[in-house]
């Protein structure tokens, strides 16, 4: 396991060790003790899979009442992944970090609770796997507007395809931090 970046407390960009040969490759996408050694100690309770087309932008999403940490893995394709710190007492509140993730690597990002997360697809399609520490609860959904000028995420897609729901999320100055 290679740690690529730790831009904020609670964010880790990772590349699991990959074994390639003429047949393809093998990697362990999750092994509890290896992640615990990196300080990622949550018990993960649900796995999710999403597929998105080129230029789709999803996010920025977070939870409020039910703390949810997650490990996002790019299984196929290439994305620009972005996180925004929405933790009330954090010295990096409102700051963002972005990284290109792909099936070639790095291909994982861990987020502790308290970060709004989003991504946009740079390849024709992208498949993402989410390992989360809380079951999905639609009543606990929260969001931050993807193009909030105060946050200033530098998305690499000029005209992303964004859902109506995600376009309607509030600005940073309007949210109650978690």
């Amino acid at each position: 396991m290679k740690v690529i970046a730790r831009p904020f407390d609670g964010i880790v960009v990772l590349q699991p060790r990959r074994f390639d040969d003429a047949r393809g490759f093998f990697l362990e996408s999750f092994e509890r003790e290896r992640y615990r050694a990196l300080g990622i100690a949550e018990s993960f309770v649900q796995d999710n899979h999403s597929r998105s087309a080129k230029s789709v932008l999803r996010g920025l999403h977070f939870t409020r009442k039910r703390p949810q940490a997650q490990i996002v893995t790019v299984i196929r394709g290439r994305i620009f992944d972005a996180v925004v710190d929405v933790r009330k007492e954090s010295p990096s509140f409102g700051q963002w970090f972005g990284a290109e993730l792909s099936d070639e690597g790095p291909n994982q990002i861990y987020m502790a609770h308290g970060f709004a997360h989003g991504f946009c697809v740079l390849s024709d399609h992208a498949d993402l796997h989410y390992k989360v520490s809380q079951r999905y609860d639609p009543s606990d959904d929260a969001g931050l507007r993807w193009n909030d000028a105060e946050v200033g995420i530098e998305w690499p897609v000029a005209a992303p395809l964004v859902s109506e729901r995600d376009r309607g999320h509030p600005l940073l100055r309007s949210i109650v931090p978690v």
Side-chain angles (χ1 to χ4, degrees):
M1 177 81 69
K2 183 176 181 183
V3 173
I4 306 298
R6 287 183 181 262
F8 303 125
D9 179 38
I11 299 293
V12 185
V13 178
L14 301 160
Q15 179 59 51
R17 188 169 176 206
R18 192 170 134 153
F19 301 92
D20 291 274
D21 64 24
R23 302 168 296 165
F25 73 88
F26 172 83
L27 68 79
E28 290 179 346
S29 60
F30 180 79
E31 195 279 321
R32 185 179 62 197
E33 295 311 313
R34 189 171 297 124
Y35 285 78
R36 285 184 190 271
L38 295 172
I40 300 169
E42 285 87 4
S43 294
F44 293 96
V45 300
Q46 182 174 322
D47 288 3
N48 305 313
H49 183 149
S50 76
R51 174 173 291 153
S52 302
K54 186 172 189 154
S55 298
V56 165
L57 189 148
R58 295 186 186 268
L60 298 155
H61 305 141
F62 62 98
T63 60
R64 292 188 170 286
K65 298 174 275 179
R66 299 184 63 182
Q68 185 184 75
Q70 55 185 314
I71 298 172
V72 175
T73 303
V74 177
I75 297 172
R76 180 174 300 227
R78 189 167 58 97
I79 66 167
F80 177 77
D81 198 274
V83 294
V84 178
D85 191 341
V86 293
R87 300 172 295 176
K88 183 190 287 187
E89 304 301 325
S90 174
S92 55
F93 174 79
Q95 295 178 27
W96 70 277
F97 169 78
E100 193 172 299
L101 304 177
S102 76
D103 54 15
E104 295 295 316
N107 72 337
Q108 287 187 337
I109 187 166
Y110 162 78
M111 290 156 277
H113 175 66
F115 289 89
H117 173 251
F119 67 90
C120 65
V121 179
L122 304 174
S123 54
D124 287 339
H125 291 90
D127 285 319
L128 277 65
H129 174 268
Y130 299 75
K131 185 172 273 310
V132 296
S133 64
Q134 287 285 339
R135 289 180 46 206
Y136 174 68
D137 178 357
S139 71
D140 197 27
D141 267 350
L144 174 64
R145 183 125 9 116
W146 68 276
N147 60 351
D148 185 336
E150 186 176 339
V151 176
I153 297 174
E154 296 171 13
W155 296 102
V157 174
L161 305 170
V162 182
S163 73
E164 185 175 329
R165 175 180 164 245
D166 287 351
R167 284 192 310 268
H169 286 314
L171 300 172
L172 181 68
R173 69 174 68 116
S174 300
I175 69 165
V176 176
V178 295

